[in-house]
Every structure is written in C-alpha cells, then in structure tokens.
Amino acid sequence: MRSALCALGAAAALVLLPAGHARAEGQEPDRDFTIEDSRITESSGLAASRVHPGIYWTHNDQDAPLIYGIDSRTGKTVATLTMAGVGTPRDMEAIAVGPDGDLYVGDIGDNLDGSWDHVWIYRFPEPKTLKDQTVAAKQYVVKYADGARNAEALMVHPKTGRVYIASKNEDGGGLYAGPERLSSSGTNVFRRVDEVPWVTDGAFSPDGERLVLRGYFSAQEYTWKDGRLGGEGTAVGAPFQGQAESVTYTPDGSALMFGSEGRNSRVVRVERAGVEPPSKKPTEAPGGAPKSPSVTPAGGGENGNVTVGFLVLAGATVLVVGLKRLLRKG
C-alpha cells in the first residue's frame, strides 16, 4: 500500500511544470537536486548543514535510526549516520540544526492522532567529517501540555536554541514551545503558544527572524516576534510535489529548499522574494550593460498543464490522506 501511495504522488508530479523554480543539477551547491539513494524512499525532513557547504541532512519516515547526508551538487549520499543510544524510533518526521551545531531529530509522528502519550527528540553534534559512522545521541522525552497529538514539524531557533513543534491537523494545528533547555533526565513539556495551518514541516531562517511552515499545497513565511508568529504570513511560491513533506532555508537565507517523499524524490530551490544571495552579482552583456536573466514565457498550453497538474495533485493528496486514514482505522 505504501508503494502505491508513493506511485500515486509521483504520477501526479509528472504532469506538473517547475513554474520557473528549477535550477540545473550538479553544478553548484544549494540548487535543485534529486536524491539518488535507493534507501531513501520517504524523505520526511530536511536540514542544511552548517559545517559542510552544500550538504543536506534527511531521513526516512520509518523506524530505522539512520540519517543521510546528501550532496546537493550530485544528489548522492556522502554520509550515513547511525544514531546510538536512542532505542528504536517510531515515526521520525523532522530534522533541524541548532545554534550549538547539533542536529535535532523529531520522532514526533503519530498517525493515530494521539495514541502515544509521549514522543521523542534525538540530538547529536553534526559530524566534522563526512563518512558512514555511528553517532552517540541524546534522547529527550516530550509531552504536550494539552494532550497527545500528531506532528511532523520540529524547528530549533538559531539564536535561542529553543525547540518548537507544530502539530499536524487538516483543520489547523498548534505551535508548541519547549522549555528553554531540554532535559534528558525528565519529561519536557511543550506548551501551545500559537495557532498554525495544516503543517507538514517548518524551519527558521538562519537569522531567526522568519519562520516558514509548509503543507501539502502551500507554504507561508511568518515574521518571528517574541516567540510567536507575527501577522498572517506571506505566501511562498512552494512547488507542487506529490507528497510535500519537508522544507529548510539555504545556509545564507536567500532561498528555501522544498522536498518530498518517494523514490528519487526531488528537492527544489525557491528564491525568497526580495532577498539577494550575498555572492550574487548581475551579469553583464557585451559593452557593460546589465543583462536581464532570460525567462521563457508560459504559453496557453503550459498554463493548462499547470491547472491540470494542480487538479491531479489535489486529487492525489485527497486519496493519500483518505487511504492513510483507512490504514489507521484498519
């Protein structure tokens, strides 16, 4: 059944246009890439390395304690990390990098919407060398002040180090703040501090001034003020993806990287509106005149494909959610 769901999402994605987001693969870091590792079939979280330029950490939505380092230049796995000291994960859904240089992994999924009275966060230093290795991880017990729930988004503020979780509910979820410092010896109670839409992942900008939350069809970027969302948020041009599960900022904060589940899943870069990469300079045409970037105009046929693609994706997502519910009931 799981393979059928992946195939359904992939079929929907095939009819969708990149809508101007796509970049050439294998040329520069932090551009579009395809995850080539056949072991990664359910990439459910994404985090940009702070130690190794161009490397993105991800993991499967399953019970193996494995984290994969993917080179965005090639799409190839350059490191496989095995977490030791954390037991058997249940439903890993998110990954983030903290200001301390540690990787935080959220084993926070609960497809039965509250069947587990606690979930876990795993934490370990980002390795200095890229190779297959075992890493010693700390395990933190997490409970919600208002009862158990399903979640797929874990965010670590890049300045304060505070951990946040966004619960997942199609009618709207909650944003939960953890204690100022996580404790590995007791229970960490997360308290609801704000309301969020239907969320499958989220990430803080590197400067800590923005928070992006994505769902199956869209993404919103919010200002971050006094530990809460500022305003209603601004829509981000998220790409259409078969099973939209992950998002992170590039290390320089100039763009967002969107990922999805599925074999050979694609990670797509989307520029942030009004933000220029620090190293980006305008190209010049002969004679010194600035050269405008070339844009291929979309004709009527392309617009039609986008509309059809959106409808197919919408139908596919409804089927995916419906089938998952049936599986839970069964």
Side-chain angles (χ1 to χ4, degrees):
M1 180 64 73
R2 187 178 295 277
S3 61
L5 296 179
C6 293
L8 183 61
L14 284 175
V15 301
L16 302 174
L17 294 177
H21 297 304
R23 299 294 189 107
E25 293 187 24
Q27 296 180 358
E28 299 178 67
D30 308 315
R31 294 294 188 262
D32 289 15
F33 63 94
T34 298
I35 298 176
E36 296 187 358
D37 195 326
S38 61
R39 297 172 297 173
I40 305 173
T41 58
E42 297 178 278
S43 175
S44 192
L46 198 65
S49 171
R50 297 299 187 267
V51 177
H52 309 286
I55 302 302
Y56 286 80
W57 299 103
T58 190
H59 54 82
N60 278 318
D61 174 9
Q62 56 189 38
D63 59 3
L66 301 175
I67 309 298
Y68 304 95
I70 312 298
D71 190 336
S72 60
R73 303 166 188 85
T74 64
K76 297 185 182 300
T77 299
V78 293
T80 300
L81 311 180
T82 302
M83 293 185 293
V86 299
T88 302
R90 287 187 297 213
D91 190 356
M92 297 195 304
E93 291 285 358
I95 187 168
V97 182
D100 49 12
D102 285 1
L103 285 169
Y104 293 70
V105 182
D107 188 0
I108 55 177
D110 186 346
N111 287 329
L112 297 180
D113 291 323
S115 61
W116 296 320
D117 66 351
H118 69 278
V119 291
W120 297 305
I121 293 173
Y122 312 128
R123 174 183 175 184
F124 58 89
E126 185 173 4
K128 293 182 172 58
T129 58
L130 292 173
K131 63 180 182 179
D132 295 350
Q133 57 192 291
T134 298
V135 294
K138 293 182 180 179
Q139 179 169 314
Y140 302 94
V141 175
V142 169
K143 289 188 176 184
Y144 302 97
D146 54 357
R149 59 206 58 246
N150 185 30
E152 293 189 2
L154 177 144
M155 299 77 63
V156 182
H157 195 275
K159 302 299 182 183
T160 67
R162 196 162 199 161
V163 181
Y164 296 83
I165 294 174
S167 64
K168 180 186 179 184
N169 190 299
E170 58 193 282
D171 297 321
L175 180 67
Y176 291 82
E180 289 188 11
R181 295 290 179 269
L182 295 178
S183 169
S184 57
S185 60
T187 298
N188 297 273
V189 179
F190 278 59
R191 303 184 185 280
R192 196 177 187 118
V193 295
D194 219 324
E195 306 303 309
V196 298
W198 196 8
V199 174
T200 60
D201 200 15
F204 280 107
S205 60
D207 60 11
E209 296 181 1
R210 298 286 188 275
L211 174 68
V212 65
L213 297 173
R214 85 163 301 177
Y216 288 119
F217 299 114
S218 63
Q220 296 281 122
E221 188 180 49
Y222 302 84
T223 58
W224 185 252
K225 185 176 181 181
D226 301 325
R228 296 175 182 268
L229 303 178
E232 297 299 319
T234 303
V236 177
F240 296 127
Q241 293 174 304
Q243 183 73 359
E245 288 284 340
S246 59
V247 66
T248 191
Y249 285 83
T250 55
D252 63 11
S254 66
L256 293 158
M257 304 291 282
F258 289 90
S260 71
E261 291 188 358
R263 193 177 299 276
N264 297 123
S265 62
R266 188 165 171 78
V267 177
V268 179
R269 176 186 173 110
V270 174
E271 305 294 335
R272 290 180 64 204
V275 178
E276 292 289 334
S279 60
K280 186 175 182 180
K281 297 180 181 179
T283 57
E284 292 188 356
K291 181 180 179 181
S292 300
S294 59
V295 177
T296 302
E302 290 183 346
N303 289 333
N305 284 344
V306 170
T307 301
V308 171
F310 179 80
L311 292 175
V312 172
L313 178 61
T317 302
V318 169
L319 287 174
V320 168
V321 173
L323 287 170
K324 284 187 175 181
R325 285 181 173 177
L326 288 175
L327 287 173
R328 292 201 300 265
K329 291 180 180 179

